[in-house]
């Protein structure tokens, strides 16, 4: 097996593979990336069993072949080489009966040898061919993922909340995530003409990879079949096993209407929140929104260390309220909301608070208040 390739083109793809593979067990085949050189094309595959990745790049094939190589060392060596052509050669090591990949820069006098493993041990993974893909704008699905994926539960005993819920409602695609104390919801009318597909709970790892690598323009193809979800765009193909279980009835959590609302400038709230959060008890994460006409005072206290408070102007005219909230549940949505103003809606101090952009968009975040003591 022998081929030459452009260093930068290879690094771009191997870096994605590195995001997926099992990096904890160096000796595992799951720490390797599969390389198949044929017809001046290199097919690259990576998997951690739950998430799969496949792509192709043009190369100059001198001798066809297929092998796997430890991804971390391959990527590390390539990243230190200058731009230009690199040669990959696989050789048998005589008496040891082991196989070594020799990676050699054609720009400088440098080469590295990395033991490779037979592709026979590399696991097969499901591919979606001849299945009902549907296309949606890449920009839209990326925005929906950004508005929801951070809100999934990290409690593995509640595995059915460890992912983002996908569902089709008429012509709308809905994405929902919750950890039981907050809920993030996004919905876009982008499924006109798309056949019904089963609802699915999708692991955030694959969604965050899509968020990072899908283009801003154009469409992305999605298929949900046989307990798998598949994504295609450009030369990339991704697949992921769906999470099993019954997602909670999220509709019951969404308030039909709320009695009060107030508006604040996003940057003012973000700055104040992060300063006040320096004195938050990290375990509880509790801060207080003390609301009065025209003013939002944010306070925190950490026993034995101190307290913090800061006031910012807000658009509100009504009676005073004090609401205890987890600061992360406010900070994380603020990171992805792009509007300059934020709207909060509520009814009582211990009932759900809804956080939205102003003007309202096609997403919102619901936060359950905390006990004050």
């Amino acid at each position: 097996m022998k081929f030459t390739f452009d260093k930068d083109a290879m690094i771009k793809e191997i870096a994605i593979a590195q995001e997926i593979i099992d990096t904890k067990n160096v000796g595992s085949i799951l720490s390797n990336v599969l390389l198949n050189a044929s017809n001046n094309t290199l097919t690259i595959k990576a998997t951690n069993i739950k998430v799969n990745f496949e792509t192709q790049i043009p190369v100059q094939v001198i001798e066809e072949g297929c092998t796997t190589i430890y991804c971390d060392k391959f990527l590390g060596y390539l990243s230190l080489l200058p731009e230009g052509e690199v040669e990959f050669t696989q050789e048998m090591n005589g008496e040891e009966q082991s196989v070594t990949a020799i990676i050699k820069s054609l720009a400088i006098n440098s080469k590295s040898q990395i033991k490779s493993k037979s592709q026979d041990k590399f696991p097969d993974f499901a591919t979606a061919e001849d299945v009902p893909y549907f296309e949606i704008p890449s920009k839209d699905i990326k925005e929906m993922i950004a508005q929801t994926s951070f809100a999934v539960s990290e409690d593995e005993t509640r595995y059915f909340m460890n992912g983002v819920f996908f569902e089709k409602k008429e012509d709308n695609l809905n994405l929902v995530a919750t950890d039981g104390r907050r809920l993030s919801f996004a919905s876009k009318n982008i499924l006109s003409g798309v056949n019904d597909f089963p609802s699915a709970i999708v692991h955030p790892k694959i969604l965050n990879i899509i968020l990072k690598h899908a283009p801003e323009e154009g469409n992305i193809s999605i298929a949900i079949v046989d307990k798998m979800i598949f994504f295609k765009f450009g030369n990339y193909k991704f697949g992921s096993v769906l999470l099993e279980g019954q997602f909670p009835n999220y509709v019951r959590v969404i308030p039909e209407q709320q009695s009060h609302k107030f508006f604040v400038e996003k940057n003012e709230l973000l700055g104040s929140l992060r300063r006040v959060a320096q004195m938050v008890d990290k375990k509880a994460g509790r801060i207080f929104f003390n609301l009065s006409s025209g003013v939002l005072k944010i306070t925190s206290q950490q026993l034995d260390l101190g307290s913090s408070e800061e006031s910012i102007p807000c658009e509100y005219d009504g009676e005073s309220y004090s609401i205890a909230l987890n600061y992360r549940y406010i900070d994380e949505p603020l990171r992805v909301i792009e509007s300059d103003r934020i709207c909060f809606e509520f009814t009582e101090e211990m009932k759900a608070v809804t956080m939205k952009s102003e003007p309202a968009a096609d997403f919102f975040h619901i936060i359950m208040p905390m006990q004050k003591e």
Side-chain angles (χ1 to χ4, degrees):
M1 180 181 184
K2 187 175 183 179
F3 61 92
T4 61
F5 59 89
D6 177 73
K7 171 240 182 177
D8 289 340
M10 180 70 81
I11 281 184
K12 180 182 176 183
E13 314 305 338
I14 298 300
I16 299 175
Q18 179 73 353
E19 295 176 34
I20 293 171
I21 62 172
D22 180 3
T23 58
K24 295 179 181 179
N25 187 353
V26 174
S28 169
I29 192 70
L30 298 181
S31 294
N32 284 27
V33 59
L34 183 143
L35 305 176
N36 188 352
S38 177
N39 296 322
N40 287 333
T41 299
L42 182 71
T43 300
I44 302 168
K45 293 184 178 182
T47 183
N48 67 359
I49 299 301
K50 293 182 179 180
V51 178
N52 309 320
F53 167 61
E54 179 179 340
T55 189
Q56 293 182 329
I57 60 171
V59 297
Q60 184 66 43
V61 176
I62 302 165
E63 182 180 344
E64 294 186 350
C66 185
T67 192
T68 76
I69 186 172
Y70 183 42
C71 188
D72 182 70
K73 294 299 182 184
F74 186 35
L75 177 62
Y77 178 65
L78 289 179
S79 65
L80 297 174
L81 292 178
E83 294 182 4
E85 290 293 302
V86 179
E87 181 181 273
F88 184 104
T89 307
Q90 188 183 46
E91 294 182 352
M92 182 72 72
N93 291 342
E95 296 179 1
E96 297 181 12
Q97 293 297 302
S98 63
V99 180
T100 299
I102 302 173
I103 302 98
K104 181 170 63 175
S105 171
L106 300 184
I108 59 174
N109 185 19
S110 176
K111 72 176 181 179
S112 183
Q113 300 184 41
I114 305 173
K115 287 187 177 181
S116 57
K117 292 184 178 181
S118 170
Q119 70 276 12
D120 296 339
K121 298 179 181 179
F122 195 83
D124 291 330
F125 53 71
T127 58
E129 303 296 337
D130 301 321
V131 298
Y133 277 93
F134 58 91
E135 289 194 350
I136 57 176
S138 181
K139 183 178 180 180
D140 286 340
I141 189 64
K142 289 182 68 172
E143 181 182 1
M144 296 177 76
I145 293 170
Q147 292 291 338
T148 55
S149 62
F150 60 84
V152 302
S153 174
E154 297 177 353
D155 182 354
E156 294 185 359
T157 65
R158 309 173 80 182
Y159 57 89
F160 49 88
M161 294 196 299
N162 292 163
V164 178
F165 185 61
F166 276 55
E167 70 169 353
K168 182 179 186 292
K169 285 289 188 180
E170 297 179 348
D171 289 344
N172 278 37
L173 175 64
N174 294 344
L175 267 62
V176 190
T178 182
D179 65 3
R181 298 299 303 171
R182 61 163 164 188
L183 182 145
S184 292
F185 175 91
S187 179
K188 288 184 181 288
N189 188 279
I190 52 177
L191 297 181
S192 178
V194 174
N195 293 330
D196 289 346
F197 54 83
S199 299
I201 306 174
V202 184
H203 197 283
K205 179 166 186 174
I206 183 65
L207 296 179
N208 290 330
I209 289 172
I210 300 302
L211 178 61
K212 181 177 180 180
H213 296 289
E216 291 297 327
E217 304 298 330
N219 290 338
I220 182 171
S221 299
I222 303 176
I224 300 175
V225 290
D226 298 330
K227 299 182 179 180
M228 295 280 297
I229 187 167
F230 299 93
F231 299 89
K232 291 196 306 184
F233 51 90
N235 291 326
Y236 297 141
K237 298 178 182 179
F238 295 91
S240 178
V241 176
L242 297 174
L243 298 177
E244 297 184 0
Q246 181 67 42
F247 196 78
N249 183 359
Y250 70 88
V251 177
R252 294 189 301 182
V253 180
I254 302 173
E256 292 185 6
Q257 64 179 44
Q258 292 172 291
S259 306
H260 310 291
K261 66 173 63 176
F262 64 93
F263 303 89
V264 293
E265 294 297 318
K266 173 188 170 180
N267 288 338
E268 289 184 349
L269 175 60
L270 189 59
S272 296
L273 183 69
R274 290 179 177 174
R275 286 187 289 271
V276 170
Q278 295 302 308
M279 284 298 173
V280 164
D281 183 297
K282 300 303 181 183
K283 185 175 182 180
R286 184 187 295 108
I287 57 135
F288 290 88
F289 271 19
N290 302 290
L291 182 66
S292 58
S293 291
V295 177
L296 174 65
K297 183 168 73 172
I298 307 170
T299 65
S300 65
Q301 183 174 2
Q302 190 169 3
L303 292 178
D304 301 326
L305 285 181
S307 62
S308 183
E309 67 174 54
E310 191 164 332
S311 296
I312 60 173
C314 73
E315 184 179 324
Y316 174 74
D317 185 15
E319 61 181 290
S320 298
Y321 288 92
S322 178
I323 306 173
L325 299 165
N326 187 313
Y327 83 96
R328 281 185 50 237
Y329 292 178
I330 305 168
D331 180 68
E332 289 175 341
L334 282 176
R335 295 171 186 264
V336 294
I337 295 176
E338 295 184 354
S339 64
D340 293 331
R341 299 184 81 215
I342 306 295
C343 172
F344 289 89
E345 299 179 353
F346 67 100
T347 299
E348 298 176 11
E349 291 180 347
M350 290 306 298
K351 289 191 175 180
V353 175
T354 303
M355 183 177 175
K356 302 178 177 180
S357 65
E358 174 61 29
D362 40 23
F363 59 85
F364 55 80
H365 307 276
I366 295 175
I367 306 165
M368 295 304 298
M370 305 174 71
Q371 296 292 332
K372 294 185 179 181
E373 293 183 3

